[in-house]
Amino acid sequence: MSPRVLKKMAALLLAAGFAAGVSAQEATLRLVSAFAENGIYVQRLQTWIQKFNAEGKGVLQINFIGGPKAIPSFEVGNAVKTGVVDMALNTGAFYTNVMPEADFLKLTRIPVAEQRRNGAFDAINKVWNDKGNMQYLARMVENQPFHIYLNKKIDKPDLAGLKVRITPVYRDFFQALNASVVTTAPGEVYTALERGVVDGYGWPIGGIFDLNWHERTKFRVDPGFYDAEVSLIMNLPAYRRLSEPQRAYLQKQLLALEGENGFWTRYAQEETARQEKAGIQAVKFDAATSKAFVDRAYQVGWAGAEKQSPEIAARFKALFSPSR
Ligand code: 173
């Protein structure tokens, strides 16, 4: 046989072997969470993983490695980018060290189902692929507005003289409200409150009981603003390594996960009631002040986005807003 034919045969053999190997083999993805293991996000994720593994035998499995004790919350994005882990439950605010655009997802004002229809989801993935070496897989939290929680009462939307725990989500807005701010991962909030290092913190409407912050919280400022974005992200090379059946299976389960997001509207109501029962007082403004408060949040949020990444901010703003 001529060397040329031999080479061709070897290539064919290799291709066939590769295809057979990939389709016949079960792959396991390593997943970490930037949020605490006992919190509501991971509780719901665990339920999903159980179903995923039960139905995905022989195709695809997920191995849950752990929460912030395995990888610190603000390092999880880089772990996904570099392939230290395959997948993560994370929020953009925790990986602005990978790309500032990650935090822009708090500004979406349409459901994720609509983001998939109107091109927002693809636009996000273009940026996540190019700048983050990641695939943006699914948003598993929606309709969870952020609030300001305080131990000192305010009677107008002014945080002057107050020190408030933040992440990038809240920085520009709280500073616009005259707060002095300190960034911490969720895992440090309780101690910061206990020691009086902060007078309050930003967090969504749900979840403050998960780490016992209710013990150290007196007021919640209404209304809420933005929408907490908690999503599954994946290392891009790991995503591209999946076989067609594996990717189809993953996609099916991701859409099923998003299909459960109606939960969050109920949860917001339950958590509001639970806070009231725990003695946390709602601070409310009149209608005009409330509207101005929320408008200001978005105005300041987009201004910050435009400053950091003008082109992408403009693209996202058009796609994240309801069409008229
Ligand atoms: O830690 C935070 O306050 C934060 O940025 C966040 C983002 C999404 C969901 C919950 C918290």
Side-chain angles (χ1 to χ4, degrees):
M1 230 175 278
S2 77
R4 212 175 116 250
V5 171
L6 250 176
K7 221 169 138 185
K8 197 173 169 191
M9 279 189 61
L12 274 172
L13 210 76
L14 213 78
F18 182 73
V22 168
S23 61
Q25 250 168 32
E26 181 186 271
T28 298
L29 305 172
R30 289 160 45 88
L31 187 156
V32 295
S33 168
F35 290 95
E37 280 184 43
N38 66 326
I40 185 71
Y41 306 143
V42 176
Q43 282 174 40
R44 290 181 62 78
L45 181 74
Q46 294 278 27
T47 307
W48 179 76
I49 292 174
Q50 274 169 20
K51 187 166 169 281
F52 189 106
N53 288 345
E55 297 174 7
K57 288 206 170 66
V59 182
L60 198 56
Q61 299 284 290
I62 292 175
N63 178 12
F64 180 72
I65 305 291
K69 287 189 192 93
I71 298 183
S73 302
F74 298 160
E75 297 303 324
V76 170
N78 268 313
V80 173
K81 181 185 178 180
T82 57
V84 167
V85 296
D86 299 309
M87 231 196 241
L89 180 70
N90 207 349
T91 184
F94 295 178
Y95 56 98
T96 55
N97 50 3
V98 172
M99 48 184 172
E101 294 85 356
D103 185 44
F104 299 0
L105 302 184
K106 70 191 178 192
L107 298 168
T108 55
R109 300 184 96 164
I110 56 171
V112 68
E114 202 178 326
Q115 293 169 39
R116 287 186 184 271
R117 286 194 295 269
N118 81 345
F121 209 85
D122 292 338
I124 293 167
N125 257 317
K126 171 107 185 63
V127 177
W128 264 236
N129 286 183
D130 293 350
K131 300 191 85 168
N133 195 36
M134 291 175 194
Q135 187 73 11
Y136 182 71
L137 294 178
R139 182 162 180 159
M140 67 167 285
V141 175
E142 296 187 83
N143 291 306
Q144 290 285 292
F146 294 101
H147 286 261
I148 306 169
Y149 296 89
L150 293 173
N151 284 321
K152 292 180 182 154
K153 196 164 188 180
I154 56 169
D155 52 16
K156 55 182 192 302
D158 188 350
L159 301 173
L162 298 177
K163 196 159 180 188
V164 184
R165 173 270 174 187
I166 59 153
T167 67
V169 164
Y170 324 91
R171 181 177 295 117
D172 292 341
F173 184 39
F174 289 5
Q175 283 181 336
L177 298 173
N178 307 311
S180 75
V181 296
V182 42
T183 301
T184 83
E188 277 104 59
V189 172
Y190 189 93
T191 311
L193 289 165
E194 188 179 34
R195 296 195 184 147
V197 173
V198 295
D199 303 305
Y201 54 95
W203 193 259
I205 188 62
I208 71 158
F209 296 88
D210 294 349
L211 295 169
N212 296 318
W213 300 344
H214 64 289
E215 294 172 1
R216 306 273 166 186
T217 306
K218 296 204 178 96
F219 305 99
R220 182 193 68 248
V221 179
D222 284 351
F225 51 92
Y226 307 151
D227 192 19
E229 173 269 323
V230 178
S231 302
L232 287 172
I233 52 174
M234 185 167 178
N235 173 261
L236 187 57
Y239 182 71
R240 293 196 168 145
R241 270 198 304 273
L242 296 176
S243 68
E244 265 315 311
Q246 286 168 340
R247 200 173 307 168
Y249 179 70
L250 174 62
Q251 186 65 7
K252 181 182 114 177
Q253 294 295 347
L254 293 170
L255 293 178
L257 180 65
E258 285 184 357
E260 300 289 326
N261 280 354
F263 164 83
W264 297 106
T265 309
R266 296 194 301 280
Y267 183 66
Q269 287 163 1
E270 287 165 16
E271 289 282 285
T272 306
R274 193 174 171 198
Q275 288 180 20
E276 192 177 342
K277 256 201 204 128
I280 296 170
Q281 201 184 315
V283 172
K284 292 180 189 289
F285 310 126
D286 64 52
T289 309
S290 296
K291 184 180 182 303
F293 178 81
V294 175
D295 288 350
R296 184 91 191 279
Y298 282 99
Q299 181 252 313
V300 169
W302 280 117
E306 280 151 14
K307 202 170 144 193
Q308 283 190 305
S309 192
E311 270 171 41
I312 292 167
R315 207 182 312 153
F316 281 6
K317 193 174 183 180
L319 291 167
F320 288 3
S321 310
S323 56
R324 282 162 300 141

